[in-house]
Amino acid sequence: MTGKPPFEPWGRYPKYNANVVPLQWQSDFPAIVSRYGGMHNGALAVGMGRSYGDVCLLKDGNLMVTTGMNRILGWDPETGILTAEAGMTLAQILDFCVPRGYFLPVTPGTKYVTLGGAIANDIHGKNHHVAGTFGCHVPEFELVRSDGTHLRCSATENPDWYAATIGGLGLTGVITWAKLKMKPIVSRKIDYEGIQFHGVDEFLALTEASKHVEYTVSWIDCSSTGKNFARGVFMQGDHTRNPGELKPSPEPKLIFPIEAPGFMLNSASVAAFNTVFFHKQMKKRVTALQDYEPFFYPLDKVLKWNRMYGTSGLLQFQYAIPWEHAREGTIAILNEVAKSGLASFLAVLKAFGDVPSPGLLSFPQPGITLALDFPIKPGKSFPLFDRLAQMTLEFGGKLYPAKDARMTATQYQKSYPEWQQFLRYKDPLLSSSFWERVTREE
């Protein structure tokens, strides 16, 4: 069944009409890639549509939705290597692996992304400083090209295609299945510690002192100025070593019920939220034994939480600035955000480590990364995005394609110079609205 509804990313901006093509069987390949890629405006494989911007869109093109391809193809309990179709979500992988004593080697802040999407965006998590990106834990996958070629890709077999596809934004072909090296655990619980901090320097000191901890991330209040400038909560944890429950997670029961009116999220409400969140932790330092769900996926508890931003949607701004300029760049950008009056509802600050990614176009690099959510207000938020993007480049940084819908072609090509090398691996019948935007001449 096909149709032409508006297709929107998680940020709900932009929205483009597309021919939606559900994928179900590996036997459909490569004919289906060739068929729809050869139609008007080409094709793109997409999963759950959890990318914030237009990296999962193809205006007036054909979106091949992979979520019907979600079968487990193999499991080795000795090595913890799972083989699964690319449309399987991380939530489905957890439901299978947690009762068997295994956890994802790397996970983003939502489990509702597909295995193929995690590879295509080479996602990162709270343990990047010790584990690197998702692609570091994918020993092998199959890539199907629109010309009918099937490629088994690994670090030793078709290694150039392996590198181009990890972080390759789904443009080298369609990933049909992949292997994933899971991490052994003995309990669902995390030994958690939360530490309040004031300022970027205190955040950096905590980061340095916590290099031995597997998971670290910080919430930061980017609406406050003066003595409260850059205050936040540093959150860290390890999988507990004490054996405990290994049951699957219950299905979320809460759904954000309405399209919230745009005026709900304003500088006053965000400032109030930030104050409450900061003081929710009554002590400077707290410890707890916490289930992995609220530690890794606090927002997944409420389905369709993006409705909170109304029909106009939201957009994330996420940068990575190398250590050389990370401190001054982060302070400057936080000052610019505070000055704008467009407070971010969710702001996450973290250090990237130096574990190299196998991907050619991967986003993470050693330094600091900051992610900010802003409601879409074209006359106000877009000019701020443009200023922040330019500042990021001036500090030697780059933006995250999976979160972006505003980066210019000049900005992308300067911060991802490998894009020209990548062109030799791009499938000629596949594209995305993001790719069309950032590779055109200006």
Side-chain angles (χ1 to χ4, degrees):
M1 181 177 69
T2 63
K4 294 183 179 180
F7 194 90
E8 61 182 30
W10 186 247
R12 314 189 73 181
Y13 174 87
K15 301 178 178 68
Y16 294 135
N17 291 334
N19 186 37
V20 177
V21 184
L23 301 183
Q24 297 290 339
W25 306 103
Q26 290 187 55
S27 57
D28 293 337
F29 295 92
I32 200 165
V33 183
S34 176
R35 176 185 175 190
Y36 286 100
M39 294 172 65
H40 180 64
N41 270 11
L44 177 69
V46 299
M48 296 289 284
R50 279 299 188 113
S51 297
Y52 280 72
D54 56 357
V55 75
C56 63
L57 302 181
L58 182 57
K59 186 177 182 180
D60 297 325
N62 302 281
L63 295 179
M64 301 180 290
V65 180
T66 64
T67 50
M69 296 177 54
N70 60 357
R71 305 167 190 89
I72 292 174
L73 305 177
W75 168 246
D76 186 337
E78 299 299 321
T79 63
I81 293 181
L82 174 80
T83 305
E85 290 182 329
M88 195 169 195
T89 66
L90 300 190
Q92 293 166 333
I93 291 175
L94 287 170
D95 284 346
F96 177 82
C97 288
V98 168
R100 291 165 172 79
Y102 283 92
F103 195 77
L104 294 164
V106 168
T107 181
T110 176
K111 58 184 180 180
Y112 298 119
V113 300
T114 62
L115 176 58
I119 297 171
N121 290 284
D122 199 16
I123 59 174
H124 54 271
K126 297 178 177 65
N127 58 349
H128 182 272
H129 59 290
V130 294
T133 64
F134 194 86
C136 294
H137 307 275
V138 178
E140 185 180 8
F141 56 81
E142 182 189 63
L143 185 72
V144 176
R145 303 267 295 171
S146 61
D147 64 2
T149 306
H150 288 250
L151 296 171
R152 292 177 75 99
C153 302
S154 69
T156 56
E157 187 173 4
N158 297 308
D160 47 351
W161 291 96
Y162 179 74
T165 302
I166 295 176
L169 308 176
L171 301 174
T172 58
V174 177
I175 301 169
T176 53
W177 58 262
K179 293 186 176 182
L180 181 63
K181 180 79 167 65
M182 303 294 288
K183 173 186 175 63
I185 57 172
V186 297
S187 169
R188 290 177 56 91
K189 301 293 185 180
I190 300 290
D191 287 322
Y192 167 80
E193 185 173 27
I195 308 167
Q196 291 179 342
F197 66 86
H198 287 80
V200 173
D201 287 337
E202 195 170 343
F203 160 78
L204 290 172
L206 288 167
T207 298
E208 179 64 25
S210 300
K211 285 184 174 179
H212 63 288
V213 181
E214 179 163 11
Y215 302 106
T216 66
V217 70
S218 294
W219 167 84
I220 189 168
D221 176 0
C222 63
S223 63
S224 294
T225 58
K227 67 177 183 180
N228 289 326
F229 175 71
R231 65 179 177 178
V233 179
F234 189 90
M235 295 168 279
Q236 60 182 359
D238 290 300
H239 292 282
T240 187
R241 296 180 180 179
N242 299 316
E245 284 187 326
L246 287 170
K247 63 182 181 181
S249 299
E251 288 294 320
K253 296 180 179 178
L254 300 177
I255 300 177
F256 200 86
I258 60 171
E259 302 282 3
F263 64 81
M264 276 186 62
L265 287 178
N266 52 48
S267 57
S269 62
V270 170
F273 168 82
N274 285 339
T275 298
V276 170
F277 190 93
F278 183 79
H279 292 291
K280 182 181 71 170
Q281 179 174 313
M282 302 298 289
K283 299 179 180 178
K284 168 78 174 178
R285 185 183 294 259
V286 299
T287 59
L289 190 61
Q290 189 178 74
D291 189 86
Y292 78 72
E293 284 282 347
F295 182 76
F296 290 109
Y297 313 114
L299 292 176
D300 282 348
K301 188 175 181 180
V302 182
L303 299 176
K304 299 185 179 181
W305 63 261
N306 54 348
R307 289 179 174 177
M308 179 176 65
Y309 288 85
T311 55
S312 57
L314 77 153
L315 201 56
Q316 271 208 352
F317 173 86
Q318 182 167 5
Y319 71 66
I321 295 180
W323 284 119
E324 181 183 3
H325 302 295
R327 177 184 178 277
E328 61 178 313
T330 298
I331 292 173
I333 286 177
L334 287 172
N335 269 314
E336 187 69 21
V337 173
K339 187 174 69 176
S340 74
L342 294 174
S344 170
F345 186 64
L346 294 171
V348 176
L349 187 65
K350 177 178 165 46
F352 279 147
D354 57 5
V355 180
S357 166
L360 183 63
L361 290 178
S362 294
F363 163 67
Q365 61 183 14
I368 288 181
T369 183
L370 173 65
L372 304 166
D373 280 3
F374 291 100
I376 297 290
K377 298 179 180 178
K380 294 182 178 180
S381 50
F382 286 173
L384 175 63
F385 289 149
D386 295 343
R387 292 199 300 277
L388 298 184
Q390 191 57 38
M391 291 173 69
T392 298
L393 262 67
E394 290 170 358
F395 286 112
K398 57 183 179 180
L399 304 183
Y400 190 15
K403 306 286 182 68
D404 182 69
R406 290 291 299 171
M407 197 176 355
T408 67
T410 298
Q411 290 168 340
Y412 177 78
Q413 293 169 24
K414 182 176 181 181
S415 53
Y416 289 86
E418 303 85 358
W419 77 278
Q420 288 189 313
Q421 181 183 349
F422 174 81
L423 287 176
R424 76 182 67 167
Y425 303 103
K426 181 185 172 298
D427 191 299
L429 300 187
L430 301 182
S431 191
S432 68
S433 293
F434 171 86
W435 191 251
E436 298 295 326
R437 175 165 57 86
V438 300
T439 58
R440 66 191 177 201
E441 293 185 1
E442 291 187 330

